[in-house]
Amino acid sequence: FPEMVSNPKLVLVQGTLNVVMKQNVTLSCLSEPGPPPVRYTLFKHNQQVSALNRSDLSPALFTLTISSASDVGEYKCKAEYNNSSGGKYSNSLNFTLLEPISKPVLSSPTSQAKKGQNVTLSCFSENGSLPITYLFFKGTQNISPQKTMQKREAAVIFLFINSLSDFGTYKCKANNSFPNNTKYSNSFNFTLAEERSHSQPLIISLGLILLLLIIGLALAIPFFLIPLYKASE
């Protein structure tokens, strides 16, 4: 009866498609309608994982333990009658392994700033399942909408240093779909850049002029003294 087997349906009945290490999941595979007995085989990436026979209309239940990264990916099941060469495949289910994020690093191209300057802050977690959501703080106050990064790249915000209060302590936090996995970054502070006094160039210019006058006077003195010395002889 191979031609009477319908495409089975593969359903997740326990657990989630986003899994963590040591998590158990249960898959149900059932072909209906169709007379029993039916043999159900579970495949992962076209490699057989397990097989069960059913002599009634109850589904085949496959329980898996996610023990390594190789246990995630695409699963399908196949339904066929015993001792037959035919069979039909189900839909596929894809499992994704969730990994905890690492402590994010908060940084900026410059650590010194002055009032009226635009600066940037970037927050980046090197490890962890995507997407990763970032949030920036100054002290305990949130200073930006959350940024969700779908790629492994830093979240960046732009700041305008308007007053001395903008030189406070900054932090960011990161989280993803891994349960109970929020991480805070290092602290980052901008320091006030020393501004050159407006009078400093003027002082330097006056100093140079005075030096040139002294040199000029020293060179001119012999030309005045020689005629006077000759006149007195």
Side-chain angles (χ1 to χ4, degrees):
F1 307 94
E3 67 279 4
M4 296 180 62
V5 176
S6 62
N7 288 93
K9 186 174 183 180
L10 186 64
V11 178
L12 181 68
V13 294
Q14 179 188 350
T16 60
L17 291 178
N18 293 324
V19 294
V20 298
M21 287 293 186
K22 309 301 180 185
Q23 180 177 337
N24 293 326
V25 294
T26 301
L27 303 176
S28 167
C29 186
L30 179 63
S31 175
E32 56 179 1
V38 174
R39 178 177 176 84
Y40 294 100
T41 307
L42 183 68
F43 294 88
K44 181 178 76 67
H45 297 306
N46 299 320
Q47 292 186 345
Q48 181 174 328
V49 176
S50 182
L52 293 172
N53 291 325
R54 283 290 178 265
S55 58
D56 53 23
L57 296 179
S58 64
L61 298 178
F62 300 96
T63 298
L64 309 172
T65 300
I66 306 300
S67 56
S68 69
S70 63
D71 292 327
V72 298
E74 183 186 65
Y75 284 81
K76 286 185 177 182
C77 71
K78 179 182 180 182
E80 58 189 331
Y81 288 103
N82 289 328
N83 303 318
S84 71
S85 58
K88 292 188 178 180
Y89 287 90
S90 72
N91 56 296
S92 62
L93 291 178
N94 279 280
F95 289 97
T96 302
L97 183 64
L98 295 181
E99 297 177 306
I101 54 175
S102 57
K103 180 178 179 180
V105 175
L106 183 65
S107 61
S108 175
T110 178
S111 61
Q112 292 188 331
K114 55 187 178 181
K115 288 190 290 185
Q117 181 178 342
N118 290 308
V119 295
T120 61
L121 279 174
S122 64
C123 186
F124 179 65
S125 288
E126 186 174 357
N127 299 310
S129 304
L130 296 171
I132 299 177
T133 299
Y134 297 94
L135 199 59
F136 292 82
F137 298 87
K138 186 173 78 69
T140 58
Q141 182 179 2
N142 174 22
I143 59 172
S144 73
Q146 67 178 22
K147 294 180 175 289
T148 300
M149 311 304 293
Q150 303 290 341
K151 297 180 180 179
R152 184 105 23 216
E153 57 188 16
V156 179
I157 63 169
F158 299 89
L159 301 173
F160 179 69
I161 303 298
N162 190 44
S163 65
L164 291 177
S165 63
D166 295 325
F167 290 92
T169 299
Y170 292 86
K171 279 190 175 184
C172 68
K173 74 174 182 178
N175 58 60
N176 61 1
S177 299
F178 194 92
N180 303 318
N181 185 231
T182 297
K183 297 283 182 66
Y184 285 86
S185 72
N186 55 294
S187 299
F188 187 90
N189 290 77
F190 290 104
T191 57
L192 181 62
E194 294 183 4
E195 298 186 17
R196 296 179 61 183
S197 172
H198 294 294
S199 61
Q200 192 174 9
L202 179 61
I203 294 173
I204 294 174
S205 299
L206 292 176
L208 290 174
I209 293 172
L210 182 60
L211 179 60
L212 291 175
L213 288 174
I214 293 173
I215 294 173
L217 184 61
L219 294 174
I221 285 176
F223 293 97
F224 286 103
L225 291 181
I226 291 174
L228 291 175
Y229 176 73
K230 289 183 178 180
S232 63
E233 288 182 347

